[in-house]
Structure formats: structure tokens, C-alpha cells
Amino acid sequence: VLASMLVHRHGRTAFAVNQKIFAQYVRRLAADLIAERPEQGQLYETLYISDGPSRGDYHTGSNILAWKAATVMAEDFSDLLDADQTRQLKQIAEELHQSLGQKCVRSIDGKPMYVEGTNRDGSIIGVHDGEESDLTLASVYGFTSRDDELIRNHARWAHSTRDPYYAPITGGIDFWDFDDSNGITYPGHIHGLCRANTREELKDALLELRRTTDLDGSFWWWPFEHAEQEPTKVKRGLGKCGWCAGEFVSFFLHDIMGVERDQEARSIRIAPYTPWRHFSWKGLAFCGGQVDFEQVDDTLHFTNRTDETLHAYLQISMQPDTMLEDVTLNGQSRRYQASVIHLHDGSAVGVEEEVEPGQSVALTIRTR
């Protein structure tokens, strides 16, 4: 999964590992997924994620990760496999996606949502484990959309007293499996970002994270003790959390800034949904060079500072309860070429354009 992300962002040649060892690894992983392949309509049985249990006989996040692994091996690394392995991995991915929707989506308190996991007898896991990260990153993996209601409902449930591992005073999620000394674990805080369906909710979720970071923005692995009664007393225990840093950056880049890059296709997607109407990102690495993008109210600027012609998809999120009147790219109307999609609490308008090296373009929407 990580290899696929690196290849899409920076190209196959930038994936600087021992290719022979990597090929052996991919073939072994493909063989394992195929050998342990669930019956149609079933999921992989699960045991551990990192150093804690994958809760339930069929853990949701772990099966999403298996779906992603099967997908990228079949799509990005099929040259390392034989045709039959590729075919079986594609089938496994299709069946997992369908089975996850059938087995791991339930209605709780009248709201449909993904659950932490399920058991062979059909019962569900009634907690959210604070160190479960793959459901948080399901949209980053491409398993679902970034405004998926089923994940949002789960995140809201997980950050409520309906989840027995939720700590209402500190707003974190506990990790109880070994002893009481560790307490609140930080990946649960990152999952809180999935709750947001409005810009104000996203702003609040980001501020919740910021209140527990150090001045430089870095995360501690255990921000609070188990029974902490003072929400400003950050524990700063067991070192910094690189896991959360990677999780947050991945979520922020994909879901909040809406950035997706494909070096081989020379394509880039900039589709922000942010609490801010003004922001600027200079020097995002891509295609051996950099790109810049900036939003000012209802205009999104994009500059290609690479030596390649880029296929750019630019998207602006409309404010709720507004009506679209026009769409322009560099002052020329693109109303009939633009796409309009639903996103979170409103709509978003997108336009595709071939952007030459050194060229800047500006997408503007007019609403009322």
C-alpha cells in the first residue's frame, strides 16, 4: 500500500528499494492473500493490528487494508505477478468491497455505520479501538468517498459516550488492553476528523488536535492518562507518535486539501474542502518539479512549475445554500464543461485543463 502511494506520487523510478527483494515480497503477499482467500461473501479472519488486537473475528479496518493491498498489487504491480494471480486479486478486491458493505455496516441508534468488526455469530464489536486507523484512512485508500456518511456516523458514535472507550473529559479514546498506565491513545484523536460534515465542524476538529500538540505541531503517542480529569494536562508520554503524523498528513492532504497525484499519468487533482477561504501552498513536489496552488474566496489558482504538461483537475467547494451562476477559467466561461458534485454540506464545481510548464490558471465560480 505504501509502495503504491509512493509510485503514484513520485513515479516508479523514484521507488528506490532493492527491486528483487520487493518483487519477492509482492509475490509472497499475493500468494498469502490468495491462499487465505475467504469464501465469497466472507471476510479475512483477523488477529492483530500493530501490537493490539484486530477486534472481532472479522475486523473492518484490516479487511479494508486487505482490499487496498489486493487492488494495488493487481493494478500497480501486476508486472511482478502472473496473469492468474492478477485475476484472482481483482476478484478478491471486488468480493471484499461487497462483503464489507454487507457484514460490517449496521444501524446503531437509528444511524447506519461501519462498525469496528463483526464475529462469526453475527454480533458486532461494541467499542472503537483508539489505535484503529484504516477506517480513518478508507477515503485515502480510495475505498470510499471523503464524505462517506457511514464513516462519519461511526466517527460520531466513537466520539460519544455510546462508545465505552470514549473519555468525555479529554475527548480521546482509551486503550485498555494491557494496563491502565497508557490511557488515551492518539490515533483515536485523528479519527475525530471524520466526524466533520461542515466547515465549522472541521475547524473544531482540527482545533481539538491542536490543543494537544506541542508548539511545533507534533503529536505525543499517549496525550492523556486513562482517568485524566484536566483536559489541558497533556501527558507527553512514551515519545512522539510517527504513526499519527503519517495518518494526519495523509488525511489532511487527501481529504482536506483534496490533493491526488499520479506521476505516470502526469495528472493532479486539487479539490480542497477547508475551514478557510484563503490559503496558499507553495512548492508541492510533483513530476520532478513543483506546483503551487492558492484559494482566495471563490477563486482557485494553480501554477505548473514542472517541465511537464500536467492534466489538472481543479475544484472549488460552494458555500451551503448558494446558487451557481457561472464558472470561468482564466476569465473564459466553462459553465457547460464543468462538473458539479455533492460534497459534505453542499456542492463542489470542478474543471479539467491541460496546464503547460510555467503556466498559471485560475478557476473562479460566481454564486448568489
Side-chain angles (χ1 to χ4, degrees), residues 124-183:
I124 64 172
I125 304 304
V127 302
H128 174 65
D129 187 327
E131 295 198 344
E132 200 288 322
S133 302
D134 293 309
L135 193 58
T136 306
L137 297 178
S139 55
V140 177
Y141 296 155
F143 180 79
T144 188
S145 66
R146 56 178 169 163
D147 61 350
D148 187 281
E149 181 184 31
L150 300 176
I151 292 179
R152 183 167 64 250
N153 286 344
H154 174 270
R156 290 183 172 182
W157 174 87
H159 286 82
S160 76
T161 53
R162 295 287 285 144
D163 176 7
Y165 277 21
Y166 175 70
I169 293 176
T170 57
I173 295 177
D174 217 329
F175 188 72
W176 269 40
D177 291 288
F178 302 108
D179 53 48
D180 289 349
S181 64
N182 292 327

Side-chain angles (χ1 to χ4, degrees), residues 4 33 43 75 114 128-129 161 175 179 186-187 195 199 237 261 274 301 321 346 353:
S4 172
L33 282 174
L43 296 167
E75 293 180 354
Y114 283 103
H128 174 65
D129 187 327
T161 53
F175 188 72
D179 53 48
Y186 215 103
R195 292 175 295 171
R199 292 174 176 85
R261 290 165 285 176
T274 68
H301 301 270
D321 303 317
E353 181 73 0

